Amino acid sequence: MSIITIKRFLLLALLTLFCQAPLTLADSLTPAQARSIAKQAYIYGFPLVDHYRVQYTYFQDRQHPEFKAPWNTLHNTARIYTPDDKAYPTPNADTPYSQLGADLGTEPLVLTMPPVKDGRYYSAQFVDAYTYNFGYVGSRTTGNGGGRFLIAGPDWHGSVPPGIDRVLRSETRFAFVFYRTQLRGPDDLENVKKVQAGYKVQPLSAYLGQPAPAAAPAVNFPVPLSAQAERTDPAFFNQLNFVLRLSPIHPSEKALMQSFVALGIGPGLTFDEQAWPEDIRAAINAGIADAWKDFDALGQQVARGEVSTSRFLGSRDYLANNYLYRMRATVTGLYGNDREETLYPPFYLDAQGQKLDASQHRYTLRFAPGQLPPVNAFWSLTLYDANRLLVSNPLNRYLINSPMLGDLKRDADGGVTLYIQHAQPDSALVPNWLPAPDGPFYLAGRLYWPKPEALDGRWQAPKVQRID
């Protein structure tokens, strides 16, 4: 028996113990099998690895310019995101963020949301290490009256103390709480800061006035791959193994984990690319490339309007183990909301079915009378470059949203036409100008707390039209 075969059987034995299920595997792994496993594991694992990269940057690497705060410490970003913010794609420029990296290994946390009296939209989104949204508090779900909410990890079995309005359970020890507070305009920033000052986080023991329990075992966090290396480097699979070690395997995924073990992929395992012969290594790299081909094919379906982006975001139950959808959501809009919280109509193509490119054309987007996006909170339209980042421009204007309606020029019939182009238009149209780069771009719509007619399709977003 070869060294490689012995190694694979040892890995099988380890995962059999972990999954408590029998495993079988042929004595040899063909390149075709390795390619298929690598593709499936990459699609499955990309959200976990990319999320880990961002969380490490935000809450672990104190030397990184994007570092926010230590674990279990709330950080408020009391400013608008700009083109200088590059940590993850499609940043939002009309709801200043607050972020909490939650380590729930020792004990739960108690989160306090303040009352907000002026009807301002705010929310806290709860995301686990699998990137599933496992709960919300705020305007849509719990109202603007505030409250106290307990977030607990998978190993907590205590009783809920008095004064807690809701318990949110994370599948994983490490979770992310992503707060959004509506900004109504540049002169509204001080009001946003006052709301953010009311967001509070306490360990459960501090909330109860009791001594803290014994700390959970410390974690030795590996340095993540760069966003670029994640796309091609097979070392990706060892980072996936690390995240899986801290993330209990869901019962619906035990068989899937068993299929990954042949390549040394799984909790507690080690992926060793150099242990494989050259043809298997080539197959692993081909499998990664295959994953991106599937990703691109799904993107083409989205651009043609055949698949809605609203299907890519949500809870584990909602996504129903569609891992390609989860990967697409991570790459194009990590930490996007459930469709009931925010609907994201994308604008990738013009009315002729061609990609948007402001080096070639000027465009308009017109909302006919009575056809503005139907929302309970507010809507926005943000422009991004080909890298899904905000675009520098002389107005420092990255979006147009519903709070700006009073400043926009109306059409003769009362509709609203937005002008999307690189060069500044005539002065009368500047209020309606959304500056574009001198090249490819795309537009992301956001409907916060959408009304039923937006969710069920009675309202349809208009098409982007060329005007030259």
Side-chain angles (χ1 to χ4, degrees):
M1 184 179 292
S2 70
I3 293 176
I4 293 175
T5 302
I6 292 172
K7 176 185 174 183
R8 290 168 56 219
F9 274 104
L10 289 173
L11 293 175
L12 281 170
L14 286 171
L15 198 60
T16 299
L17 290 173
F18 180 84
C19 293
Q20 298 180 341
L23 296 171
T24 60
L25 189 67
D27 286 346
S28 61
L29 183 69
T30 67
Q33 291 170 331
R35 183 171 182 168
S36 176
I37 294 169
K39 171 187 168 180
Q40 293 175 19
Y42 187 87
I43 290 173
Y44 173 87
F46 187 88
L48 285 71
V49 172
D50 197 53
H51 169 76
Y52 171 71
R53 174 185 63 83
V54 176
Q55 297 291 283
Y56 181 95
T57 297
Y58 279 3
F59 308 115
Q60 185 63 30
D61 184 359
R62 294 171 184 261
Q63 306 306 313
H64 198 284
E66 293 282 356
F67 179 77
K68 307 301 182 189
W71 296 100
N72 295 342
T73 305
L74 182 66
H75 178 270
N76 293 313
T77 304
R79 62 174 179 81
I80 301 171
Y81 271 51
T82 74
D84 293 329
D85 294 288
K86 304 179 187 298
Y88 62 89
T90 60
N92 184 345
D94 53 8
T95 57
Y97 295 151
S98 302
Q99 292 118 334
L100 170 66
D103 179 357
L104 306 171
T106 298
E107 60 178 320
L109 299 175
V110 176
L111 280 55
T112 299
M113 297 288 281
V116 178
K117 301 296 187 182
D118 62 356
R120 181 186 308 272
Y121 170 85
Y122 74 147
S123 68
Q125 169 194 8
F126 295 75
V127 187
D128 65 24
Y130 289 106
T131 72
Y132 291 123
N133 299 334
F134 63 89
Y136 283 88
V137 300
S139 300
R140 178 182 67 88
T141 53
T142 57
N144 276 31
R148 293 187 180 91
F149 306 90
L150 185 144
I151 174 175
D155 298 324
W156 183 72
H157 304 290
S159 57
V160 180
I164 298 298
D165 296 291
R166 182 176 297 183
V167 175
L168 300 104
R169 297 298 301 248
S170 173
E171 284 188 30
T172 57
R173 169 176 169 174
F174 291 92
F176 180 42
V177 186
F178 200 2
Y179 300 72
R180 295 171 173 88
T181 309
Q182 181 184 0
L183 177 70
R184 291 171 171 155
D187 58 353
D188 187 43
L189 193 57
E190 290 303 313
N191 294 321
V192 169
K193 291 179 181 179
K194 292 176 183 178
V195 175
Q196 291 179 329
Y199 299 143
K200 304 293 183 185
V201 178
Q202 296 173 282
L204 177 58
S205 58
Y207 173 78
L208 295 174
Q210 299 175 353
V219 176
N220 183 19
F221 295 96
V223 176
L225 294 170
S226 69
Q228 294 74 26
E230 284 177 354
R231 292 176 171 256
T232 57
D233 191 339
F236 167 96
F237 294 116
N238 259 329
Q239 299 225 321
L240 174 59
N241 287 353
F242 167 77
V243 179
L244 289 173
R245 181 167 62 84
L246 297 172
S247 307
I249 300 301
H250 192 267
S252 69
E253 294 179 346
K254 285 189 175 181
L256 184 67
M257 288 297 108
Q258 292 172 13
S259 72
F260 294 165
V261 73
L263 284 181
I265 299 170
L269 304 182
T270 299
F271 174 81
D272 184 0
E273 182 190 11
Q274 298 307 313
W276 298 103
E278 184 177 347
D279 60 343
I280 297 296
R281 292 200 302 271
I284 291 169
N285 284 288
I288 294 174
D290 290 344
W292 286 109
K293 289 177 183 176
D294 283 10
F295 172 90
D296 290 338
L298 179 58
Q300 292 171 12
Q301 290 182 285
V302 171
R304 294 192 297 265
E306 297 169 2
V307 178
S308 170
T309 56
S310 68
R311 296 175 61 184
F312 301 164
L313 300 158
S315 66
R316 178 183 287 278
D317 288 343
Y318 178 76
L319 284 172
N321 292 0
N322 191 320
Y323 305 120
L324 185 60
Y325 280 9
R326 187 176 67 177
M327 178 185 175
R328 184 80 197 179
T330 300
V331 177
T332 60
L334 182 61
Y335 310 132
N337 280 316
D338 290 10
R339 66 192 306 269
E340 292 81 9
E341 192 73 31
T342 311
L343 204 59
Y344 299 94
F347 300 85
Y348 294 106
L349 307 177
D350 62 25
Q352 286 73 42
Q354 300 300 308
K355 291 183 177 179
L356 304 175
D357 189 336
S359 69
Q360 303 294 324
H361 302 287
R362 294 178 292 121
Y363 302 92
T364 60
L365 185 68
R366 171 174 151 80
F367 295 100
Q371 290 301 305
L372 289 169
V375 291
N376 291 296
F378 72 104
W379 60 264
S380 69
L381 185 73
T382 308
L383 189 146
Y384 300 97
D385 65 17
N387 296 316
R388 303 183 183 278
L389 298 174
L390 298 170
V391 176
S392 297
N393 64 82
L395 300 183
N396 293 324
R397 179 184 294 164
Y398 313 119
L399 58 85
I400 289 179
N401 59 22
S402 50
M404 299 167 63
L405 281 172
D407 298 323
L408 300 183
K409 178 181 175 62
R410 294 276 182 162
D411 299 335
D413 62 0
V416 177
T417 299
L418 306 181
Y419 295 84
I420 305 155
Q421 56 193 64
H422 179 62
Q424 182 169 317
D426 294 341
S427 58
L429 302 180
V430 167
N432 295 39
W433 177 37
L434 190 51
D438 190 18
F441 69 95
Y442 92 102
L443 301 166
R446 291 179 171 90
L447 281 66
Y448 292 92
W449 193 357
K451 290 184 175 180
E453 55 265 39
L455 292 169
D456 64 21
R458 282 175 287 161
W459 176 85
Q460 293 290 320
K463 300 288 187 180
V464 177
Q465 304 287 342
R466 296 183 198 167
I467 57 172
D468 55 336

